[in-house]
């Protein structure tokens, strides 16, 4: 299926590894011009390599504008830096047409394990950072009459999970924000959806275990499809929702969890 996004400009935050990097690669494979950002400059350079490799196929023939990649060090919580990044990308590549807002998660633990400062930090990282990114990108998307916004959250927006008190509390706000935006931006051709991933084989997950294979096997036993997700599974879903073909999907929360929440 031709997703219809070749030449579109995509911004992907939190793309230094895991799900964010997989989404950047998937969009580049569709011919999008991709700009990625992250907080760690060294990891950012490594993350840009596979995106650049995939994009290289579009740097030839009659479509030299496709396959462009840039990488910038940006902390999504720094709203001035985010606005500066969007301006720089718009000057360099155009757009933005696609915004994939991805950020790290808060610490794990029960709701009573954290003080008020920890909740404030979680609100900044898991809610306000995403809102600031969207608000900064929206004017250009609305003016262009086309846009796709994806907010990467967690399956906890659908069902709270034990030991994820901060995520359970803060992330559902993204769903309310997205749904509230729909009637304002849909007439301008801009969609917004929330992606709710479950367990995927990322460095953030495998790093939690002394024996990753044994730890992931225990998790997989509780997932109906019988396995941990691959970042490419998630990225394929994101690429479709970012596509021309998904123009009638907005205000949705899409679970990418192998059916795990069905058992809760």
């Amino acid at each position: 299926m031709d997703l219809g996004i070749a030449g579109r400009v995509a911004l992907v935050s939190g793309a230094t590894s895991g799900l964010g990097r997989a989404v950047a690669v998937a969009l580049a494979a569709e011919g999008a011009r991709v700009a990625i950002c992250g907080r760690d400059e060294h990891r950012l350079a490594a993350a840009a390599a596979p995106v650049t490799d995939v994009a290289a196929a579009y740097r030839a023939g009659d479509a030299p504008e496709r396959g462009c990649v840039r990488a910038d060090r940006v902390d999504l919580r720094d709203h001035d830096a985010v606005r500066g990044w969007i301006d720089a990308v718009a000057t360099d590549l155009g757009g933005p047409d696609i915004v994939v807002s991805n950020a790290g998660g808060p610490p794990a633990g029960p709701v009573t394990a954290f003080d008020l400062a920890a909740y404030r930090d979680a609100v900044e990282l898991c809610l306000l950072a995403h809102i600031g990114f969207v608000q900064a990108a929206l004017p250009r998307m609305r003016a262009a009459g086309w846009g796709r916004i994806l907010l990467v959250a967690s399956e906890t927006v659908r069902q709270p999970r034990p030991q994820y008190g901060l995520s359970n509390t803060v992330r559902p706000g993204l769903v309310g924000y997205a749904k509230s935006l729909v009637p304002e931006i849909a007439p301008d051709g801009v969609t917004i959806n929330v992606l709710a991933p479950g367990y995927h084989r990322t460095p953030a997950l495998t790093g939690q275990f002394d024996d990753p294979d044994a730890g992931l096997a225990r998790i997989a036993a509780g997932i109906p499809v019988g396995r941990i997700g691959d970042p490419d599974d998630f990225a394929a879903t994101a690429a479709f929702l970012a596509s021309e073909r998904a123009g009638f999907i907005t205000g949705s929360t899409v679970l990418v969890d192998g059916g795990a929440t069905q058992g809760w």
Side-chain angles (χ1 to χ4, degrees):
M1 179 186 295
D2 180 2
L3 297 185
I5 56 174
R8 295 285 189 185
V9 177
L11 276 60
V12 185
S13 67
T16 53
S17 67
L19 300 182
R21 182 169 63 182
V23 171
V25 169
L27 294 175
E30 293 295 328
R33 290 173 281 175
V34 180
I36 65 173
C37 78
R39 290 178 288 176
D40 188 315
E41 189 169 356
H42 299 293
R43 293 175 64 193
L44 188 64
V51 185
T52 302
D53 289 344
V54 170
Y58 291 91
R59 291 193 182 131
D62 60 357
E65 78 282 0
R66 301 179 186 177
C68 300
V69 177
R70 63 174 287 157
D72 298 277
R73 184 181 178 277
V74 180
D75 186 331
L76 210 62
R77 295 168 295 186
D78 184 338
H79 304 301
D80 289 337
V82 170
R83 286 190 291 270
W85 179 50
I86 293 171
D87 289 342
V89 172
T91 299
D92 186 19
L93 303 180
D97 305 299
I98 298 164
V99 165
V100 182
S101 187
N102 179 51
V111 290
T112 55
F114 303 101
D115 60 16
L116 195 57
Y119 279 92
R120 288 195 180 100
D121 289 343
V123 168
E124 182 63 47
L125 177 64
C126 298
L127 183 59
L128 296 182
H130 295 281
I131 292 173
F133 188 11
V134 172
Q135 301 287 65
L138 257 180
R140 286 188 170 91
M141 301 173 89
R142 298 180 79 175
W146 197 96
R148 301 287 184 265
I149 300 168
L150 301 180
L151 305 177
V152 181
S154 161
E155 61 187 350
T156 57
V157 303
R158 182 63 60 85
Q159 176 64 47
R161 288 174 43 204
Q163 299 302 311
Y164 287 87
L166 292 176
S167 183
N168 295 340
T169 302
V170 175
R171 289 192 192 272
L174 279 180
V175 176
Y177 174 70
K179 288 183 176 293
S180 299
L181 259 185
V182 169
E184 296 185 37
I185 65 177
D188 298 316
V190 182
T191 68
I192 182 166
N193 293 288
V194 176
L195 278 165
Y199 289 111
H200 287 72
R201 189 181 291 269
T202 64
L205 178 61
T206 57
Q208 296 179 23
F209 303 104
D210 294 330
D211 183 346
D213 289 337
L216 295 182
R218 289 194 298 271
I219 294 173
I223 300 176
V225 301
R227 66 178 178 87
I228 299 293
D230 186 281
D232 290 342
D233 296 328
F234 180 83
T237 305
F240 175 72
L241 289 174
S243 76
E244 181 71 34
R245 310 302 176 198
F248 203 59
I249 304 172
T250 190
S252 296
T253 299
V254 180
L255 285 164
V256 190
D257 69 347
T261 56
Q262 306 306 312
W264 296 348

